[in-house]
Amino acid sequence: MKSRRAFKESLLYILLFIISVVFLAPIVIILINSFKSNFHISQSPFSLPNVETFAGIQNFIKGFTQADFSRAFANSAFITVFSVAGIVLLTSMTAWYLVRIKNRFTKLIYYLFVFSMIVPFQMVMYTMTYYAFELNLNNRLGIIFIYLGFGAGLSVFMFSGFIKSIPTEIEEAAVIDGCSPLKTFFLIIFPILKPTAITVAILNAMWVWNDYLLPYLVLGSGSNRTLPVAIQMALTGGYGNKDMGALMAMLVLTILPIIVFYLFCQKYIIRGVLAGAVKG
């Protein structure tokens, strides 16, 4: 019995190791190629840099200049920070209202949020782009409202599951002590929502930071472009030729902040997902 259990655990570890290698391999390949010249990248993309192939930091300098990295980084940071802040704050308040005020209207609104999770972006992107330009949302501030709309479904769903586990007696006690609904939410409910709020922030930050299609459709390739768009547009030459060395270097600089952010907060993801799914 113990030997069979040990065998199953060994198979599980081997499977998890293979999956880890599959997911990490592209990142490792990008990292090692960011220090090689274009010729050697095309000749031997999977080999480590050596004395002959090592290009130093020239790819980083070249990519930083050509892609206008500092401006694109500032645009991505601005959009990501304020989009995530808006999603966390507004969807948590929405979820609290939908859970506590039980009627047909709130139930309908909740199911509309859930339904929005299964609608592919490709189905609405052309209509969304048209109205974004008509409503003058094709700027750094306007795209935040668009991200708020697309990120509301999953966020409301996760917050609602956790709020259902919070006893209403806590809120009733706060009301008796003289708290208004806003004070009750910010002083009592929102601190309790911390694990789920951090999870929602992490998931949406990774999505907004790495998103390419929505910023490209709404913001284009002008001065408001984000990092993914800037890298794609600036490092693509004529007839589809690409400076692969500079491209790899900029990809490293782009994914580094979100990887650090994820590693710093990853422990909250499982805690928040389980709290919202199991308790709900």
Side-chain angles (χ1 to χ4, degrees), residues 20-245:
S20 301
V21 170
V22 171
F23 276 91
L24 292 176
I27 300 177
V28 174
I29 293 173
I30 290 173
L31 179 61
I32 63 177
N33 284 312
S34 65
F35 294 98
K36 297 192 296 186
S37 62
N38 287 331
F39 175 77
H40 294 101
I41 291 175
S42 60
Q43 291 295 316
S44 54
F46 302 108
S47 62
L48 294 173
N50 52 40
V51 177
E52 181 182 356
T53 63
F54 184 66
I57 61 172
Q58 293 301 317
N59 290 331
F60 291 87
I61 297 174
K62 190 176 182 180
F64 194 92
T65 304
Q66 291 183 0
D68 196 6
F69 185 86
S70 57
R71 173 179 290 184
F73 184 90
N75 291 334
S76 290
F78 177 86
I79 294 170
T80 301
V81 169
F82 286 99
S83 295
V84 172
I87 290 172
V88 171
L89 177 62
L90 298 179
T91 58
S92 60
M93 298 176 70
T94 301
W96 182 54
Y97 178 83
L98 294 178
V99 171
R100 293 296 185 244
I101 308 299
K102 297 181 180 179
N103 53 46
R104 292 183 179 179
F105 176 74
T106 56
K107 185 177 293 187
L108 174 64
I109 296 299
Y110 174 76
Y111 284 121
L112 286 176
F113 278 115
V114 174
F115 175 75
S116 68
M117 295 167 53
I118 63 175
V119 178
F121 173 74
Q122 290 76 9
M123 287 184 60
V124 298
M125 64 180 185
Y126 291 112
T127 305
M128 180 275 302
T129 304
Y130 172 78
Y131 281 107
F133 280 86
E134 288 293 316
L135 298 174
N136 294 322
L137 297 177
N138 55 328
N139 50 68
R140 294 196 309 170
L141 183 61
I143 198 174
I144 293 174
F145 293 96
I146 299 176
Y147 273 122
L148 176 60
F150 280 108
L154 177 62
S155 303
V156 168
F157 176 76
M158 293 182 64
F159 278 122
S160 298
F162 188 83
I163 292 172
K164 290 176 183 178
S165 67
I166 301 176
T168 56
E169 290 78 8
I170 299 176
E171 301 171 32
E172 293 172 356
V175 173
I176 293 174
D177 290 338
C179 285
S180 64
L182 283 178
K183 283 187 176 180
T184 301
F185 177 79
F186 286 107
L187 298 180
I188 306 298
I189 301 301
F190 196 71
I192 301 176
L193 294 176
K194 180 181 177 181
T196 304
I198 294 176
T199 302
V200 170
I202 294 171
L203 296 177
N204 283 287
M206 292 191 295
W207 162 52
V208 176
W209 180 268
N210 294 318
D211 191 22
Y212 171 81
L213 185 56
L214 180 57
Y216 179 73
L217 292 174
V218 176
L219 301 178
S221 57
S223 60
N224 290 328
R225 62 183 182 270
T226 57
L227 273 176
V229 178
I231 293 172
Q232 175 66 22
M233 299 299 296
L235 302 179
T236 301
Y239 304 101
N241 295 324
K242 295 183 179 180
D243 189 338
M244 295 303 296

